[in-house]
Amino acid sequence: MYKRILITGVSRPGGIGSELARKFAESGYEVYAHGSTKYDEAIGYDDAGKKGSMEKITKLKDSDLSTKEGVEKLLAELGKHGTVSHMILCHAYSTECKLEDWTFDEINNHLMTNVTSSMLLIQAFRKHFEDTEGCITLFTSGQELGPMTDEIPYAVSKAAVANLAVQVSHILGRMDVRVNAVNPGPTDTGYIEDPKLYREIESRFNAKRWGTPSDVANLLLFLHSREGAWITGQVINSEGGFRR
């Protein structure tokens, strides 16, 4: 049966989401990709909005997943194309936010985008699921492995996402839907501009290189295949031996 998958967080050609969309399409999936170019531009990514190779991928209209309207827009867009049996929630709201800079809106932007929207997308997935088996992967950030003191709103929201995967796996397991969370570790998507910091982080990996979006895609292709059918309810730290 032809596999249909929704992948969120697909708006930057150099990002993890875009690489996932390309690799899953190459592997025979019917890919529906969603992103928010407006968010990427707001936080200063140079490649935000630039077009990458997206052949055989259906790009859904952008929407802001920190809002109820944005989530509903995505669900309506996806509904025009039918149901999916696989889903990768790669979208994230992430800003540096020291304790003295916490605000009601900044905290809730993290929670709404990273947690609430994911819960609503999973709920909709379950409601419309019609296949015999499926798989969902969420993204976390290894916040349980070390402190993220300048990004606590982000770290807290991603800890919730990790627990969401574990909890939901028990419900969707009855439908033969596997649910996991993946922490890809530091991944080279162009967000580190300081050469000295880039090399310092690079030195902490066993292979003395950064993780790449392709490394992430290789793991997720396995998790979403039948070869990964015995893996569910797990938080997987795939960091290449990164030392904090």
Side-chain angles (χ1 to χ4, degrees), residues 50-63:
K50 293 182 181 178
K51 293 183 178 180
S53 176
M54 285 290 174
E55 295 181 6
K56 300 181 180 179
I57 294 169
T58 300
K59 189 69 167 66
L60 305 177
K61 291 180 181 178
D62 278 18
S63 64

Side-chain angles (χ1 to χ4, degrees), residues 78-95:
L78 185 62
K80 297 175 184 177
H81 302 280
T83 60
V84 296
S85 55
H86 292 252
M87 188 163 66
I88 297 174
L89 302 183
C90 189
H91 66 278
Y93 182 90
S94 173
T95 63

Side-chain angles (χ1 to χ4, degrees), residues 2-5 24-25 27-31 86 221 224-225:
Y2 203 61
K3 294 172 286 188
R4 299 159 58 87
I5 186 169
F24 272 79
S27 297
Y29 285 76
E30 186 175 334
V31 177
H86 292 252
L221 283 167
H224 283 258
S225 71

Side-chain angles (χ1 to χ4, degrees), residues 64-112:
D64 180 0
L65 297 184
S66 71
T67 68
K68 179 175 181 286
E69 293 75 19
V71 175
E72 290 175 345
K73 181 178 178 181
L74 167 55
L75 292 174
E77 272 282 295
L78 185 62
K80 297 175 184 177
H81 302 280
T83 60
V84 296
S85 55
H86 292 252
M87 188 163 66
I88 297 174
L89 302 183
C90 189
H91 66 278
Y93 182 90
S94 173
T95 63
E96 184 174 297
C97 189
K98 298 181 180 179
L99 192 149
E100 57 268 26
D101 299 322
W102 293 357
T103 65
F104 183 90
D105 288 340
E106 188 65 11
I107 292 169
N108 280 292
N109 281 339
H110 283 89
L111 295 175
M112 290 294 293

